[in-house]
Amino acid sequence: MLIVFANFINAKEDIKTKPVALSDLTANCSAEIKTEFYKSLFFVNGRLASMRIEAAEKCLARESPEVLGFNLGKSPDFKWGYKGYNCKCNKHNRLGCRKEEGWICNLVDCSGDCDYSEKRRYSFPGKYIGAQDIYAMVPENIADEFVGGLVLDKGRVEKITVGRELTKHIDGEKLKQIIAILTCRDWRVIKKVKEMSDYLAELREKSVKVPDFSDTDMRKSLGKKYDELFGDADLKYGQYDDETLKKFWNVYKAIISGSPGKKYFSEARKVFMNFRKRNAYERMEGGEFKIFLKEFFSLCVSAGDFSLARALKKEYPDALENEFVPSAP
C-alpha cells in the first residue's frame, strides 16, 4: 500500500483541530448516505470548497464542521454556515458559491478562475477536482475506500492513502495528477523552489565569506539559476498551496532586492495577488499577510509602480497608513 502525505502544519491535540479521516467522520452514516456524501465533495486549491450536506448532516461526527472547514471559528455549537450554496463555475469563467438547496459552500475557498464548459465545471489539469470524477474511474467500493481515507484538518487535505486496487484502475500519471490537485502540491515545482531557496542561502553565505563576491555577481548568479530552473515557464500560482506561494515570495523578494527587474516584479505581483484572491487578509494568523502587504508595497515603490502602490494604500488604509508613495517623476 502506498501512502502519500501532504503537509501537517501545527496540528493540535484538541479534537476540534486534529486531522481526521473522512471514514471516521462518517462512521455513523449508512453506506448509501456515505457514498452520496463522498461523491459530492469538491476541492479547490487542496481545500474542501463545497459538499452536499442534506442527507449526511444528521449522521456526521460532532466535530465534522471544524474538521471539514465549515465552522470557520464562528460557531461554538458546531452549526453549519453558508448553507444552500454549491461551488460552481459560471459562463464567465469564474468559480463561486451558487445557490443550490442541500449543499454547503465555503466562500473563502470557492473563488478564482476556471475552465468552463457545458459538460464540466472544472478540468483535471487545473486546481479543482470533484470526488465524483474518481467514482467515474473506479468501482464504487474502491472509490469509497480512497475518498474515505482522505485525512482533513480545517478543510485542508493533509494525508492521502492509495491502495493497490486503485492503481489497477488509474494509471500512474493520472493518479499523480489527482493527488497533486487534492493536496494542491506540484512536487516538481516544489523541488525547484526548494533548490532555488537553498541556492539563495549559499549565495548569501558566500557574500559574507568572499570579499570579492559583489552585488553584481549575486544578481548574475541568481538570474542564471532562476532561468535554469524555471526559464520562461508560465507558473500556475493559483494551483499551489500557501506554503509554496510563501517560498516563491521569498525567492522573488530576494532577487528583486538585488535587481528589481520587470520580469521578477511581475512574478512577485502574481504571487501577492494570489494571496489576495484567497482572502489571506482574513485567513492568515499573526499578521502574516500584513507583512507580505508591506513588503509588496515596498517592491512597488522600488519598481516605480506608484499607481499600484497608491491603489494598495486605498484598499488597505489601516495597514499602510504610515507608508509613503513618491510623486511620479
Side-chain angles (χ1 to χ4, degrees):
M1 182 173 285
L2 170 65
I3 300 179
V4 182
F5 290 92
N7 253 1
F8 278 87
I9 304 173
N10 297 326
K12 299 178 181 179
E13 290 303 319
D14 189 336
I15 191 171
K16 293 191 298 182
T17 59
K18 182 176 66 175
V20 180
L22 287 174
S23 59
D24 291 333
L25 296 182
T26 58
N28 294 324
C29 298
S30 67
E32 182 180 356
I33 291 178
K34 182 184 298 186
T35 298
E36 178 187 349
F37 175 68
Y38 286 172
K39 286 182 178 179
S40 74
L41 303 180
F42 184 58
F43 298 87
V44 179
N45 283 319
R47 299 180 63 86
L48 185 58
S50 69
M51 58 188 176
R52 186 171 179 82
I53 192 65
E54 191 172 45
E57 182 175 3
K58 294 181 180 179
C59 62
L60 287 173
R62 183 175 180 272
E63 68 268 28
S64 295
E66 184 75 17
V67 174
L68 299 175
F70 288 87
N71 188 353
L72 303 180
K74 297 179 180 179
S75 176
D77 296 324
F78 298 96
K79 296 177 181 178
W80 300 96
Y82 308 129
K83 270 189 174 182
Y85 291 86
N86 187 9
C87 188
K88 293 182 177 180
C89 287
N90 63 15
K91 63 183 180 181
H92 301 297
N93 199 43
R94 295 295 300 171
L95 188 70
C97 292
R98 319 294 175 190
K99 284 189 176 181
E100 188 168 349
E101 290 301 318
W103 289 74
I104 183 171
C105 184
N106 192 321
L107 295 173
V108 174
D109 297 307
C110 180
S111 63
D113 297 325
C114 55
D115 296 325
Y116 175 85
S117 74
E118 293 296 330
K119 296 182 179 180
R120 295 177 63 80
R121 60 180 181 177
Y122 54 88
S123 61
F124 262 117
K127 56 184 178 179
Y128 319 110
I129 186 171
Q132 72 268 26
D133 283 309
I134 298 171
Y135 278 84
M137 298 178 191
V138 303
E140 188 173 278
N141 64 313
I142 297 175
D144 279 345
E145 181 182 7
F146 174 73
V147 178
L150 297 178
V151 175
L152 276 68
D153 181 22
K154 295 182 179 179
R156 175 166 175 76
V157 178
E158 297 287 1
K159 177 182 174 183
I160 295 177
T161 302
V162 178
R164 293 184 183 277
E165 291 301 314
L166 188 73
T167 62
K168 294 179 181 179
H169 297 273
I170 304 178
D171 65 53
E173 286 305 311
K174 177 65 71 174
L175 190 55
K176 289 178 183 178
Q177 198 174 50
I178 292 172
I179 291 171
I181 299 171
L182 279 172
T183 61
C184 194
R185 298 180 70 81
D186 185 327
W187 303 110
R188 291 168 297 182
V189 171
I190 290 174
K191 182 179 179 180
K192 289 182 179 181
V193 171
K194 183 181 185 304
E195 187 175 344
M196 189 72 199
S197 299
D198 292 343
Y199 187 65
L200 286 172
E202 291 175 11
L203 290 179
R204 291 194 182 104
E205 185 176 347
K206 184 176 182 179
S207 67
V208 174
K209 294 182 178 181
V210 182
D212 294 336
F213 190 71
S214 65
D215 290 341
T216 300
D217 295 327
M218 172 78 79
R219 287 193 295 268
K220 289 182 178 180
S221 298
L222 290 176
K224 183 178 179 180
K225 186 66 173 179
Y226 183 90
D227 289 341
E228 174 190 323
L229 293 174
F230 298 105
D232 294 323
D234 181 16
L235 295 167
K236 306 295 184 182
Y237 299 108
Q239 297 178 14
Y240 310 142
D241 65 321
D242 287 354
E243 293 305 309
T244 301
L245 284 187
K246 291 175 187 178
K247 291 177 182 178
F248 269 116
W249 177 255
N250 289 330
V251 167
Y252 293 132
K253 184 176 66 174
I255 295 178
I256 293 172
S257 66
S259 177
K262 292 183 178 179
K263 171 182 175 180
Y264 304 119
F265 176 72
S266 176
E267 296 302 309
R269 177 174 178 168
K270 292 177 185 176
V271 171
F272 177 82
M273 291 306 176
N274 265 280
F275 273 128
R276 180 174 168 272
K277 287 179 182 178
R278 299 180 190 186
N279 296 308
Y281 194 80
E282 291 82 9
R283 283 199 298 109
M284 287 186 171
E285 300 176 356
E288 191 173 21
F289 180 79
K290 290 184 179 180
I291 296 175
F292 291 149
L293 176 61
K294 290 184 177 182
E295 290 176 343
F296 183 59
F297 178 87
S298 297
L299 293 181
C300 290
V301 172
S302 64
D305 195 336
F306 302 145
S307 61
L308 179 54
R310 281 190 287 271
L312 290 173
K313 274 186 68 77
K314 185 176 181 180
E315 185 175 359
Y316 304 101
D318 295 335
L320 299 175
E321 180 181 5
N322 299 320
E323 303 298 328
F324 173 72
V325 182
S327 300

